[in-house]
Amino acid sequence: ICIDSVEQALVAEVNGASRVELCDNLLEGGTTPSAGNDKTSVSYGLPPPEEDVAFKHGIRGGDFVYTEMDFYVMKEDIKVAKQLGADGVVIGALTPSGDIDVPRMKELLEVARPMSVTFHRAFDLVRDPIQAAEQLMELGVDRILTSGHKRTAVEGLDLLVTLRKHCDDRIIIMPGSGVNASNVRQLVDTMDPKEIHLSAAKLTASSM
Ligand SMILES: *[C@@H]1O[C@H](CO)[C@@H](O)[C@H](O)[C@H]1NC(C)=O
């Protein structure tokens, strides 16, 4: 369950979520969470969060090509996540031509281990998804969060099924984006994913 506040971690836990992805700015696709959120989550004994170190990607409008300074900050954020007790990080870096930035991913993985590593939806912008999946498996990434190169996972089901078959059990293909109570069954039945990613969000009226 993807969340952007500690209250949501409590709700996710009570309702049986096995993992939370802690971000800030979910409305912008999720960015690196504050250290305060991380720390509170861990000190409340909540499921250790997987921290989304998707540095500024909302602000940058979905571009996952980082400057040297961005890259440096990402590595620092990963170290902070580790110190604060996160179980994993959610990261991704691409080249301007739309390939996985393998050398940078190698460096990020070195900083992140032994935490688990998820490659986030930067995957949905790669030029060649099968080649990219191969590279991520070679790098030893634990899972890929993807909506099958479409706006939502349901729309991207064809590619999700292809990836699931191609990768088998070598990496977890975790569908996400637009997943909700009415379509989750269809995803599960069609691609048999090991894990599924959703925010289960609903709009509530302000108390004010
Ligand atoms: C789930 O998403 C679909 C597609 O976006 C939408 O049509 C449907 O109303 C949503 N269902 C719920 C329960 O939110």
Side-chain angles (χ1 to χ4, degrees):
I1 296 285
C2 189
I3 57 168
D4 65 2
S5 81
V6 176
E7 269 96 15
Q8 293 163 15
L10 285 162
V11 177
E13 186 186 44
V14 167
N15 288 282
S18 50
R19 191 167 65 233
V20 294
E21 179 186 335
L22 184 58
C23 323
D24 275 352
N25 305 309
L26 260 188
L27 286 177
E28 292 184 64
T31 53
T32 308
S34 80
N37 265 337
D38 244 351
K39 223 170 167 165
T40 310
S41 194
V42 170
S43 62
Y44 270 72
L46 292 166
E50 196 176 40
E51 177 169 325
D52 191 334
V53 186
F55 180 61
K56 293 203 294 197
H57 74 218
I59 296 160
R60 293 171 58 108
D63 173 350
F64 302 98
V65 182
Y66 297 108
T67 65
E68 275 303 316
M69 195 60 95
D70 287 344
F71 184 58
Y72 181 86
V73 172
M74 275 171 82
K75 287 187 284 186
E76 291 303 309
D77 278 336
I78 293 171
K79 288 180 203 163
V80 169
K82 195 192 288 189
Q83 278 162 13
L84 293 175
D87 252 13
V89 284
V90 182
I91 55 179
L94 302 180
T95 66
S97 57
D99 292 303
I100 304 289
D101 191 331
V102 173
R104 278 187 163 178
M105 281 304 297
K106 254 190 197 142
E107 248 188 87
L108 295 177
L109 276 150
E110 266 166 36
V111 179
R113 292 306 187 195
M115 296 187 291
S116 90
V117 173
T118 300
F119 194 90
H120 58 52
R121 287 184 62 215
F123 187 83
D124 290 319
L125 296 178
V126 297
R127 197 169 47 80
D128 179 343
I130 297 292
Q131 185 201 46
E134 283 295 337
Q135 287 171 322
L136 294 174
M137 290 189 279
E138 175 91 26
L139 283 161
V141 167
D142 298 284
R143 72 182 62 74
I144 302 172
L145 169 62
T146 169
S147 53
H149 276 204
K150 293 283 199 288
R151 202 176 49 87
T152 66
V154 170
E155 291 167 85
L157 252 179
D158 284 352
L159 179 58
L160 288 171
V161 169
T162 304
L163 284 164
R164 174 85 176 99
K165 285 195 183 127
H166 178 85
C167 301
D168 200 18
D169 285 332
R170 293 182 293 160
I171 193 166
I172 297 166
I173 303 294
M174 179 170 69
S177 187
V179 180
N180 65 27
S182 5
N183 58 29
V184 67
R185 190 77 247 166
Q186 183 193 355
L187 273 171
V188 170
D189 290 345
T190 314
M191 70 168 285
D192 187 28
K194 217 174 192 161
E195 302 177 349
I196 208 148
H197 173 98
L198 66 161
S199 68
K202 66 171 184 193
L203 288 174
T204 51
S206 160
S207 61
M208 193 175 85

